[in-house]
Amino acid sequence: QNGKPVDLSDRSVSWFVNDRLSVRAAGLTSFSLRIPENAIGSVPIKAVIATPNAPEQVAVVSIPVAVPEAVIDAQLASKTIGAGTHVFRARSFFFDASGAANLLVSWRVNNQPTTANGDPTTLRLEVPPGASGSTAAIDLAITSAGNPLESARDTLVLAVE
C-alpha cells in the first residue's frame, strides 16, 4: 500500500489459474504452479484479497507460455561446410530447469550418436578431406533431467563441399 509491503497475515488470499481456484490461505503472498502442457499464449493468474468489512482487492497478470526450444548454433554463412573442424553449440530456451547442468544434451551426426569432448553443449565435427558431395545431418536433443517429458529437438542438414 502506497509503495510499501502490506501485512496480509489476517487476510484471506485466493489464487486462481485460468479462473479456477488453485489455493487459498491467510496471508499467502505466493504459490507454485505447473502450467498445463496444452497451454498456449498466456495463462491468466488472479489474486483475490479478502478484507473484513471492505471490498475484495483483485489483481490479474498474464504469464506468457513458451514451449521448450533447442537450437543448433552453427555460426555459418551458408548451409555448406568443407573439410576441417567445425564447432556447433546447443542453445536451450524456455526449459523449466535451474541451469544448464540440469539439462541432458545429446548429438547425432548422420543418425550416429556422438560423444561430447568434456562439454555436452558443444559438438566438434571433423570433416575429412575427400568428403565433398556428401551431407552432414546434425541432430540435437535436449531433455530436462528433472522432467523427461520436457524436451526439444533441432536438426541441421549441411552440404559438404
Side-chain angles (χ1 to χ4, degrees), residues 89-100:
R89 289 192 172 70
R91 304 289 186 211
S92 59
F93 302 94
F94 311 117
F95 279 83
D96 185 19
S98 59

Side-chain angles (χ1 to χ4, degrees), residues 31-104:
F31 75 108
S32 297
L33 71 138
R34 291 206 64 67
I35 301 296
E37 289 189 25
N38 60 352
I40 56 173
S42 63
V43 175
I45 308 295
K46 178 170 62 173
V48 178
I49 302 170
T51 304
N53 304 321
E56 291 182 333
Q57 294 179 334
V58 179
V60 179
V61 296
S62 289
I63 297 177
V65 176
V67 297
E69 188 175 343
V71 175
I72 298 171
D73 185 356
Q75 301 290 315
L76 298 172
S78 66
K79 290 194 175 189
T80 60
I81 55 174
T85 302
H86 303 276
V87 178
F88 303 90
R89 289 192 172 70
R91 304 289 186 211
S92 59
F93 302 94
F94 311 117
F95 279 83
D96 185 19
S98 59
N102 295 320
L103 296 174
L104 306 173

Side-chain angles (χ1 to χ4, degrees), residues 2-160:
N2 297 326
K4 297 179 182 174
V6 175
D7 179 11
L8 300 176
S9 60
D10 63 338
R11 300 178 190 171
S12 173
V13 181
S14 303
W15 290 92
F16 296 82
V17 178
N18 283 326
D19 287 325
R20 298 177 99 184
L21 179 64
S22 182
V23 64
R24 175 182 291 142
L28 187 63
T29 58
S30 66
F31 75 108
S32 297
L33 71 138
R34 291 206 64 67
I35 301 296
E37 289 189 25
N38 60 352
I40 56 173
S42 63
V43 175
I45 308 295
K46 178 170 62 173
V48 178
I49 302 170
T51 304
N53 304 321
E56 291 182 333
Q57 294 179 334
V58 179
V60 179
V61 296
S62 289
I63 297 177
V65 176
V67 297
E69 188 175 343
V71 175
I72 298 171
D73 185 356
Q75 301 290 315
L76 298 172
S78 66
K79 290 194 175 189
T80 60
I81 55 174
T85 302
H86 303 276
V87 178
F88 303 90
R89 289 192 172 70
R91 304 289 186 211
S92 59
F93 302 94
F94 311 117
F95 279 83
D96 185 19
S98 59
N102 295 320
L103 296 174
L104 306 173
V105 178
S106 64
W107 296 91
R108 294 176 80 82
V109 176
N110 294 331
N111 209 25
Q112 298 297 312
T114 63
T115 56
N117 296 332
D119 179 6
T121 64
T122 301
L123 170 67
R124 294 189 184 290
L125 177 62
E126 301 289 338
V127 177
S132 66
S134 64
T135 59
I138 301 170
D139 294 305
L140 166 66
I142 302 176
T143 304
S144 171
N147 180 5
L149 297 177
E150 185 179 46
S151 64
R153 304 181 84 80
D154 191 19
T155 300
L156 178 63
V157 178
L158 302 169
V160 179

